[in-house]
Amino acid sequence: MAEDTAAIRTDAPLPEDADPAAAARSAKRRKALRILAIVVASAAILWAGWYYLTQAGRVHTDNAYVGADSAQVTALVSGPVKEVRVAGTQAVKKGDILVILDDADQRIALADAEAALRQARQRYGQASATAQAARARVAARGADIAQAQARLRDANAAVEKARAEFARRESIAGTGAVSGEELAAARAALQSAQAARDLAAAGIAAAEATRGSASGDLGAAEAVVRGTTIDTAPDVAAAQARVDKARLDLERTVIRAPVDGIVTNKQVQVGQRVAAGAPIMIIVPVDAAYVDANFKESQFGHIRIGQPVELVSDYYGGDVVYTGRVTGIAGGTGAAFSLIPAQNATGNWVKVVQRLPVRITLDREQLKAHPLRVGLSMEATIDTRGDD
């Protein structure tokens, strides 16, 4: 039995450590695993360091789109289109002529307003001349009164003289020194002088009445021109305003670009009659574009106005990176101001993470080098580390 057991132990396989080749391979495996572990750990440390230095404190969204405060061009006066000088997608500068309307009606209106202005100036001149004439008539009536008063004084003197002559003759009529005929003549002379005196007094009253009428005319004439000049008179000023409006309407038949940009949504053709206030095209100022980025509500813990932003557009790809600044945060989510807001007070309510628009202003020089178009998709990353 002991011999069989010894034989069995002699026939058993040798341990691995007894094989030098296997031991060498195992050592090489362990060394490779240690090297791999060191490499992985180093890569993890490097990635963690890179993430901490460059990505920590940054919030990202791909729900961002290019926008711009587009200028809607409208016709301010009505009329048929005479000429269209731009086409869709054409770049224009502020002040460039876009559309010319037929200005025949506006020219006639301007001529009519100018004629009305000349007539108003003429009426003011007539009123001024009337006031001068009324002033002269008042002065003349004053002279007539003075003349009538002088005649009354002469008439009073004549009456006194005739009365004295009559009294003297009447006192000696009983002595026979004065005949009856002479006494009658003296009495007639006195009566004539008294009549002349009454006529002179009536002349004064008539002259004063005439002066009163002339004074009324003078007041009416001066009321038209008092405190004004030919340029500040109400009728003249109103006529001048109508001329200015007619001239402005004439200028508005030439429609110019309000801003620099690209012509979009052109809706006007030659021969078409446009109404005042009708939109005819849109000018998109691509060099003043901005980005509205919609971030999740859970990302707003450290987002602040003024923080730097990096943006990438699908239009140019990752080769072009835009820089910008957060310039505003919307006052509500898009769902809150939608046409049909969500009714969350229902039995089947499910919480949905909301997004809030953030306005990002882009660098003008970058926009000039790489122009964008309204509606393009963007990816925005806000660096919030400066918040601390």
Side-chain angles (χ1 to χ4, degrees):
M1 178 66 74
E3 292 178 356
D4 293 340
T5 303
I8 292 173
R9 288 176 180 176
T10 302
D11 295 338
L14 295 173
E16 189 180 55
D17 293 341
D19 187 354
R25 286 196 298 273
S26 178
K28 288 178 66 175
R29 268 198 310 273
R30 287 194 295 271
K31 182 178 181 181
L33 289 174
R34 285 195 297 270
I35 294 174
L36 180 61
I38 293 172
V39 170
V40 170
S42 300
I45 293 172
L46 290 174
W47 181 88
W50 170 83
Y51 182 85
Y52 178 78
L53 294 175
T54 62
Q55 302 300 314
R58 293 159 64 94
V59 290
H60 174 83
T61 184
D62 57 1
N63 188 350
Y65 304 93
V66 178
D69 294 326
S70 302
Q72 182 167 275
V73 181
T74 59
L76 299 180
V77 294
S78 60
V81 177
K82 182 179 179 181
E83 185 178 352
V84 179
R85 294 195 176 182
V86 295
T89 72
Q90 180 176 336
V92 296
K93 295 291 185 181
K94 181 179 180 179
D96 288 351
I97 296 177
L98 305 176
V99 177
I100 299 177
L101 304 180
D102 191 319
D103 59 1
D105 293 341
Q106 285 73 21
R107 289 186 180 278
I108 292 173
L110 177 59
D112 183 66
E114 289 175 339
L117 175 61
R118 289 192 294 270
Q119 189 176 28
R121 287 179 173 273
Q122 186 180 46
R123 285 197 300 267
Y124 183 86
Q126 289 174 345
S128 181
T130 300
Q132 291 290 344
R135 199 173 292 112
R137 286 195 299 272
V138 169
R141 297 298 80 77
D144 291 344
I145 291 174
Q147 187 177 9
Q149 289 173 343
R151 284 197 296 269
L152 178 60
R153 288 191 296 270
D154 289 342
N156 286 330
V159 167
E160 293 301 323
K161 180 180 179 182
R163 182 179 289 112
E165 289 292 332
F166 175 73
R168 184 174 61 82
R169 284 176 172 75
E170 188 178 28
S171 64
I172 61 174
T175 62
V178 177
S179 62
E181 182 179 354
E182 187 175 359
L183 182 61
R187 183 181 289 108
L190 175 59
Q191 293 174 348
S192 177
Q194 289 175 340
R197 181 192 60 187
D198 294 340
L199 182 62
I204 291 176
E208 288 178 344
T210 303
R211 186 178 65 175
S213 177
S215 297
D217 294 341
L218 175 60
E222 285 185 337
V224 177
V225 298
R226 185 182 296 116
T228 63
T229 64
I230 193 169
D231 293 322
T232 61
D235 290 345
V236 176
Q240 182 64 56
R242 288 191 290 271
V243 169
D244 294 340
K245 183 180 184 304
R247 187 173 289 114
L248 181 62
D249 288 343
L250 179 60
E251 293 175 357
R252 285 173 171 173
T253 58
V254 178
I255 303 174
R256 300 178 180 273
V259 295
D260 297 349
I262 305 296
V263 175
T264 307
N265 198 25
K266 185 173 74 71
Q267 306 176 37
V268 61
Q269 301 294 335
V270 174
Q272 174 185 349
R273 183 174 183 83
V274 297
I280 58 177
M281 67 183 69
I282 295 175
I283 306 295
V284 180
V286 293
D287 60 344
Y290 53 80
V291 172
D292 283 332
N294 302 297
F295 285 89
K296 296 178 181 179
E297 55 187 318
S298 58
Q299 295 176 306
F300 275 85
H302 299 285
I303 294 179
R304 301 290 184 270
I305 293 176
Q307 290 173 340
V309 187
E310 290 184 358
L311 304 104
V312 176
S313 169
D314 294 346
Y315 189 69
Y316 293 104
D319 295 335
V320 178
V321 178
Y322 295 89
T323 58
R325 291 276 174 182
V326 175
T327 56
I329 300 174
T333 65
F337 297 106
S338 62
L339 185 61
I340 304 178
Q343 297 296 323
N344 292 331
T346 59
N348 59 350
W349 173 77
V350 176
K351 181 177 179 179
V352 177
V353 176
Q354 300 297 315
R355 290 180 178 267
L356 195 64
V358 174
R359 177 65 55 87
I360 300 170
T361 301
L362 301 176
D363 184 86
R364 290 292 185 92
E365 296 301 323
Q366 292 179 335
L367 282 175
K368 288 181 180 179
H370 302 284
L372 295 170
R373 297 295 185 268
V374 173
L376 293 179
S377 299
M378 301 285 286
E379 292 185 14
T381 303
I382 301 177
D383 187 352
T384 65
R385 289 173 295 180
D387 180 59
D388 298 332

